[in-house]
Each structure stands twice: as C-alpha cells, then as structure tokens.
Amino acid sequence: MRALTWHGTHDVRVDTMPDPEIVNPRDAIIKVTSTAICGSDLHLYDGVIPGMLAGDILGHEFMGEVVDTGPKSTLKKGQRVVVPFTISCGSCFFCEKQQYSACDNSNPVDKQDLSEKLYGHAVSGLFGYSHLTGGYPGGQAEYVRVPYSDVGPIVVPDGLKDEKVLFLSDILPTGWMAADNAAIEPGDTVAVWGCGPVGLFAIQSALIMGAEQVIGIDHHPHRLELAANLGARTINFEATRVSEALMEMSGGLGPDAVIDAVGMESHGFAVDSLLDKAKQKVGVGADRAHALREAIMAVRKGGRVSIPGVYGGFLDKFPLGAMMEKGLQIRTGQTHVQRYTKDLLHKIGEGQIDTTFLISHRLPLEKGPEGYKNFHDNQNEWTKVVLKPGE
Amino acid sequence: MPRNGDWMRQAQNSFDHYLPDVRGIRSRSRRPETLIGAVGIGLAVGAVTYMAARLMSSSNPPSDSAPGRTARRGPWFGDYTVSGRSVTINRRRKDLFAFWRDFQNLPAFMENIKKVELKDDKTSVWTIAAPLGREVDVETKIVEERDGKLIAWRSVPGSDIDTEGRITFSDAPGRGTVVTAIVAYKPPMGELGRLIAKLFQREPEIQGRRELKRFKMLMETGEITTSNPQRQSA
Ligand SMILES: [Zn+2]
Ligand SMILES: [Zn+2]
C-alpha cells in the first residue's frame, strides 16, 4: 500500500509499505477514504516530539470502510467508520470511567517505558504519533490496522459525506472537550487563544454550550474571519494589546474561562516565547507557551483554564502564583474521543454542527508532502488539509 | 548456607505491609513482621551490613510504611536477583487466581517461558529460553497455596536455575484486584550460568513489570496489545 511516512524534520514522503493484517482478535482493517493533516502532526514535522523513527506512518485523523475483521471485532465488512485517534481497550479502570485517553492497555508494554520515565506514568496508545504513544502506524495511508475495533470506531450513516464526519476522529471532540473543560455557565465570556481547527471548534462548541460571548485570538486574518463567521468576537494580537482588550471586552472582570488552543507551537511576539524557542533548540522539553501564560494572567479570579493544546515537556516561567492567588482551575488532557463521538455525530446529523467550513484544501495522498509544507508555511490560507488515498 | 526462602520472606513481608495500606486499612501492629523478616535475612546474608543498611537508613524510619524494595538504599538479597511489582487488574480475584494457577498459561504473557509441562498438580517443568538459542528446564513445585489469594513456587533442588516466586491477589474495592508478584533467580555457576545471568539480571525490574502488565492486558482485554501491523514479524 501507499503511505505517508516520516523521515526527519520537515521530511515526509509517500512510500510503498506492506499492507496491514489482522493481528489480534479485536482488530479491524480499514480502507481509508479520507484522512486529515492535524496541527499536532506539525509537531512531528517540526521534530519536537521524541520517539519518532524514520519510516513511521503518520496520521491520526482518518475514516474509511471496514475491509477485514478479527473474530472479536463488532464491526462488519462494508461499514463506514470514523476512527478516534485515541486507542482504548474499553475495559480497564480508566476506560470504565470514560477517561479513554488514559487507557492502561492500549500502549504496548515495551513502548511504555519511555513515557513512564518522562511523565511518571505510561501514556495511552495513539495512531501515528511516535513510539512514545505506542508506535502505531497511522491513517495517512491506504489501509490501517485498528486495534480494539469494538470500542473506538463509530459507524456513520451513508447519508453523511466523509467531510461532514471526518473530524469526529480528533479535532471536533477535542474542541468540544476544550469547551466542556471550561465549565461554561450562562453569561460567561470565554477567550480562545488560537483560531486553528481546535480553536475554531472550541469556539463553536462554547457558543452551543451557552456562552454569552466567545473571543477568538489569533494573528492570521483568514482564521479570525472564520472565527467571526461562527459568531465569535475577535482579537488580532498583532494589532491589539490582548490583556487590556480582554478586560475591556468583559466589563473589567476578565474572561470567566480561557482556552489555550495553541499549545507548544505558540508564537506570540513576546520575549518569553523567544526564550522558550532558544531553549527548545538546546534540547527536548522547553515548551513554548506564550499563549498559556497570557491566558492565565487574563482569566478572572476563580476562573477556569482549559488546555487542549499539546505540550510535551517542561515549562519555564509558569505563572503558578497567578494560578494560586486567583484560585484558578486548570483542566487539560488528550481528548476522551469515545466519550463524545455519539453525541457529536447526532449534532452533525441534525445540522447543529457543520465542520466542512474548515477544509481549505483537498489533495490526493500522493501529494501529502506538499500538504504538510503548505499547512506548515502558510497557516492563513491552509486551514485544513484532507488527503484522499487512492486518488 | 543461606536458606532459600529468607529473601522471600523479607520481600513478601514488605509487600504484605504495603498492600493493605494502599486500601487504607493497615494497622501499625504489622510493623514487627518486617523487623522479623529483616532479622531473618540479616542473619542469612551478613548481619552487620544488612542491619545497618536496613535500620539506620533515614528513608526507613518507623513512620515510613513503603515497601522495603522502594527504599533509596535497596535491600540486599545476596546472590538472588529479585523483582517485585504490583498491578491493579480490573477483574475478579478468583478469575485471576484461576488463570495463574494453571501454570500452562504462563507462556502466554511471560516472554522467557517457552512452555510449561505439568507433572502432577503441584509440580511442573518450565522450559526457559536462554541466550544463543539455548533452553533450560526448571522443575518447580508449588510450596504454598491459599485459594484465591496466594501461590508460591520454588525450583526443586538441583535445577539449573534456583528460582522462587510468589504471587498474591487481594481485593481492590471498585477497581478489581491488586496482584503482586515477587520472583527471585539465582543462576548456576559456569558458562550457562553466565548466559542465564545475562538474561535475568540485565533488567529484572523491567522484565517483571512488563510480564505483569502483559498479564493485566490479557486479563482485561483478552489479548496482548501490539502496534505491529503484521502477524509474523517480531
Ligand atoms: Zn489531530
Ligand atoms: Zn482501557
């Protein structure tokens, strides 16, 4: 089969790889019909995530047709499914609590040591996202082996086209969980740093959850336009002093909840992010986090801090004093995708959520490397790239 | 001649001591057992050195209820390589006990054990893979068994590998069963001994932990997780 593989920083290629097979009883094989490049794939592209090996197949946002099933899979050949990027066994302590992205069993035993050392506990398995999270071949390929296929994949009705449901794999539930973690109450002002895919879906979700106003912060005019189209107010941080603007736009109170949908690719024009960047060049771990620091300073006393943005290492100059003295709550984590897919699929079917506005480019899988380069270099126009294997 | 079981008593006492504490019901009256264990192994392997390390260590004051094997200065088990680890498995105690009690199931999650043949209800022969494609047979006997709670085994005298193991199962309300396995090896002398030592002493802690995790996967999910997309390759 053809698959998009990682070979080093800013070096991805489409290679011919062996087709995947059913290995364990609960497996299924999916023939991929649509797969997207994610903002977090750019972390791999930039080489800032440890545990990547040359030849690893990327991609964790994919959907397709079931073409083979193990004896314990509950899927049937021919079904169309969207596959969550988080791999979950469904039967451990965490899965039973619906904390699917904390699954104890989905990261193979020999791959657990690295994250156990880095984070104190082994992380769960994810598709196409380094050997830290299991070394699973990803979905930017013609075929994927999906373990625990009786737990993760959600069957979608034929009436809903790929582009309407593809983002159930990650960014839609991730944006939704970001808003969920912000514990929104009527009358709230919610500020969202980053109007990339997750930020935009967080904005959309926060409005559905009843926020009085949602403020999107970015510097790409087109992304701010998309935020405004969803009903958000916007701040361009290149033109505006963000903290002062947020105070004024929330009646001098500060936002009730803040969402950092930027993560470690944060690139505000500030001294602290330059410092972070310098440290990141020196070695693993100094996350660039200007947005998070600004969000913590901006949020009102007793407010909520939600972090869907991806971080991998350590953070300097974390405003812990502001956290403590203002009595903030912080909630974060990889998305518990399976907790949200059913409800979100329903909302898509009802027309309450539309995700297709985000897609700026559609390319055949063979042009994947071009997609990565443009998505990386030109974030204003390239808001979301969908790759089509076999085209 | 040190008695075979002394290190085991020490390690197990420390675990017994620790496990109930996880569930918040340990009573302080158990503390003397640890001391008895300490004295036992102290006499066996060098009283002065051991007692000094054990009792003078600032990380083991009477107010510290952690298991001995987590001490900053690790306990000394003489020639034995000891690994021990606890894991919580989301299954009923009696199911886990039953699966483990059938030693023929061990190769399903223990990488080095190629096969197990039963001689009688208490005795079995384990074929263990050694480096360079060699194999070693070890005959083991169950020396203690408490239904649903504990299995302890020991190699019979004259085995290539002197080994003992003990696995305990205790209820973890609302989250299944805490399983604690402690396994010790003392390799033989000679070339084979060095090979086996290499196999078991390289990273016995990691190996023991991985085996328990595979046991947990098998019990909770019915399979052992792999990210390999093909059946045949390793
Ligand atoms: Zn993603
Ligand atoms: Zn699980």
Side-chain angles (χ1 to χ4, degrees):
Chain A
M1 67 167 182
R2 301 290 284 165
L4 188 133
T5 53
W6 185 92
H7 290 270
T9 302
H10 300 163
D11 181 5
V12 295
R13 307 170 198 168
V14 179
D15 290 334
T16 299
M17 304 289 284
D19 285 356
E21 299 169 345
I22 299 287
V23 178
N24 273 337
R26 294 167 66 182
D27 290 356
I29 304 293
I30 308 296
K31 180 175 197 267
V32 179
T33 52
S34 294
T35 175
I37 304 175
C38 179
S40 64
D41 287 331
L42 294 181
H43 298 324
L44 304 174
Y45 191 66
D46 281 334
V48 299
I49 301 285
M52 288 298 292
L53 297 176
D56 283 349
I57 301 175
L58 299 187
H60 59 268
E61 302 182 355
F62 60 98
M63 62 177 296
E65 186 195 327
V66 180
V67 290
D68 201 2
T69 55
K72 293 275 174 64
S73 173
T74 50
L75 296 175
K76 290 177 180 60
K77 285 179 199 171
Q79 281 180 324
R80 281 174 75 226
V81 292
V82 180
V83 181
F85 78 102
T86 46
I87 304 170
S88 312
C89 79
S91 42
C92 69
F93 172 74
F94 299 98
C95 286
E96 281 196 350
K97 288 167 86 82
Q98 293 205 315
Q99 294 175 343
Y100 295 103
S101 71
C103 176
D104 244 353
N105 292 321
S106 61
N107 197 345
V109 169
D110 57 318
K111 309 273 184 183
Q112 292 189 12
D113 299 338
L114 183 54
S115 57
E116 202 166 291
K117 280 207 180 74
L118 263 178
Y119 303 138
H121 293 85
V123 299
S124 306
L126 308 177
F127 286 103
Y129 215 76
S130 92
H131 291 260
L132 197 65
T133 61
Y136 286 93
Q140 289 164 7
E142 289 184 281
Y143 297 92
V144 188
R145 170 185 166 246
V146 175
Y148 302 121
S149 66
D150 53 324
V151 177
I154 181 163
V155 178
V156 293
D158 285 339
L160 290 172
K161 285 201 279 193
D162 276 20
E163 291 187 357
K164 280 191 177 279
V165 291
L166 172 60
F167 301 144
L168 285 168
S169 55
D170 176 4
I171 49 174
L172 180 58
T174 297
W176 187 267
M177 187 167 109
D180 198 20
N181 278 345
I184 295 162
E185 292 172 2
D188 274 0
T189 293
V190 179
V192 180
W193 274 256
C195 297
V198 170
L200 289 168
F201 287 144
I203 288 169
Q204 193 179 37
S205 305
L207 288 166
I208 292 172
M209 290 177 193
E212 180 66 24
Q213 66 168 341
V214 180
I215 303 170
I217 304 160
D218 207 306
H219 67 303
H220 296 298
H222 178 58
R223 293 192 169 198
L224 288 167
E225 207 178 290
L226 292 175
N229 289 345
L230 291 170
R233 303 179 75 194
T234 55
I235 293 175
N236 184 326
F237 68 73
E238 284 182 354
T240 300
R241 293 193 299 275
V242 175
S243 305
E244 285 171 63
L246 286 173
M247 281 297 273
E248 289 309 307
M249 292 163 85
S250 59
L253 189 67
D256 303 275
V258 291
I259 297 175
D260 169 11
V262 177
M264 61 181 162
E265 63 196 332
S266 187
H267 45 27
F269 292 138
V271 180
D272 58 353
S273 59
L274 292 176
L275 189 72
D276 291 343
K277 192 167 185 182
K279 289 200 171 156
Q280 206 169 46
K281 285 230 162 78
V282 175
V284 181
D287 287 338
R288 299 153 63 192
H290 174 69
L292 179 59
R293 296 189 186 97
E294 192 169 71
I296 289 170
M297 295 305 285
V299 69
R300 72 156 164 83
K301 290 179 280 186
R304 288 91 61 188
V305 180
S306 164
I307 312 174
V310 173
Y311 291 92
F314 301 88
L315 175 58
D316 273 352
K317 297 198 164 43
F318 183 79
L320 187 59
M323 287 286 309
M324 191 277 160
E325 300 294 348
K326 294 202 285 183
L328 307 182
Q329 294 175 50
I330 192 162
R331 293 177 78 184
T332 183
Q334 293 285 5
T335 310
H336 305 303
V337 180
Q338 292 89 332
R339 189 197 288 175
Y340 301 105
T341 41
K342 207 173 153 209
D343 179 41
L344 290 171
L345 177 63
H346 180 75
K347 285 186 164 63
I348 291 168
E350 299 280 291
Q352 203 185 350
I353 290 178
D354 174 41
T355 63
T356 55
F357 72 92
L358 188 66
I359 303 168
S360 58
H361 294 79
R362 299 158 180 88
L363 299 172
L365 177 66
E366 295 295 326
K367 290 199 169 158
E370 200 177 297
Y372 269 82
K373 188 174 184 342
N374 285 300
F375 188 45
H376 180 269
D377 295 347
N378 189 354
Q379 301 209 336
N380 189 40
E381 274 92 46
W382 289 66
T383 50
K384 191 73 182 175
V385 184
V386 174
L387 302 174
K388 307 289 274 184
E391 278 185 14
Chain B
M1 190 69 188
R3 275 194 46 226
N4 233 2
D6 285 337
W7 67 267
M8 177 70 81
R9 204 166 305 122
Q10 152 67 11
Q12 184 62 39
N13 278 338
S14 299
F15 270 86
D16 282 349
H17 199 60
Y18 173 63
L19 285 175
D21 191 43
V22 168
R23 310 200 306 274
I25 53 166
R26 186 183 67 79
S27 81
R28 290 190 60 85
S29 65
R30 297 184 69 103
R31 171 57 63 173
E33 284 183 45
T34 303
L35 292 178
I36 292 162
V39 171
I41 193 156
L43 293 173
V45 298
V48 177
T49 314
Y50 184 78
M51 294 296 276
R54 189 75 194 156
L55 301 178
M56 303 299 282
S57 164
S58 61
S59 66
N60 281 297
S63 58
D64 184 345
S65 52
R69 45 170 300 280
T70 62
R72 289 186 188 279
R73 273 180 257 171
W76 180 25
F77 298 117
D79 294 338
Y80 286 88
T81 296
V82 180
S83 70
R85 185 90 171 188
S86 299
V87 66
T88 300
I89 302 180
N90 197 10
R91 285 282 301 267
R92 286 180 309 170
R93 188 159 53 85
K94 61 176 216 164
D95 297 342
L96 299 177
F97 178 91
F99 190 86
W100 195 290
R101 177 61 180 80
D102 181 355
F103 279 1
Q104 287 185 300
N105 285 327
L106 299 184
F109 57 91
M110 288 189 162
E111 264 181 349
N112 292 323
I113 300 181
K114 292 297 149 195
K115 69 169 195 273
V116 174
E117 264 174 40
L118 304 181
K119 287 183 83 174
D120 58 49
D121 184 50
K122 298 278 183 196
T123 317
S124 55
V125 178
W126 302 9
T127 304
I128 296 177
L132 305 178
R134 298 180 68 163
E135 287 186 342
V136 193
D137 282 349
V138 180
E139 188 172 326
T140 66
K141 212 172 176 67
I142 291 179
V143 291
E144 193 182 353
E145 181 174 351
R146 272 180 262 156
D147 192 35
K149 288 183 178 157
L150 176 154
I151 307 165
W153 61 90
R154 183 182 295 169
S155 53
V156 301
S159 288
D160 283 341
I161 303 176
D162 184 357
T163 181
E164 283 185 61
R166 173 179 283 237
I167 184 154
T168 55
F169 305 84
S170 56
D171 291 327
R175 47 191 70 184
T177 304
V178 174
V179 179
T180 300
I182 304 174
V183 177
Y185 292 99
K186 187 166 80 173
M189 309 297 282
E191 188 221 2
L192 185 61
R194 277 196 299 277
L195 289 176
I196 293 167
K198 211 171 153 194
L199 177 68
F200 289 106
Q201 294 185 331
R202 195 176 39 201
E203 288 173 284
E205 266 305 313
I206 289 178
Q207 199 153 314
R209 183 175 73 205
R210 287 179 173 182
E211 279 168 354
L212 267 192
K213 281 182 175 178
R214 276 193 290 268
F215 178 56
K216 173 182 162 75
M217 282 173 176
L218 193 58
M219 293 296 95
E220 289 185 341
T221 76
E223 55 190 56
I224 292 173
T225 302
T226 174
S227 56
N228 203 318
Q230 273 87 32
R231 279 187 294 270
Q232 65 280 16
S233 45

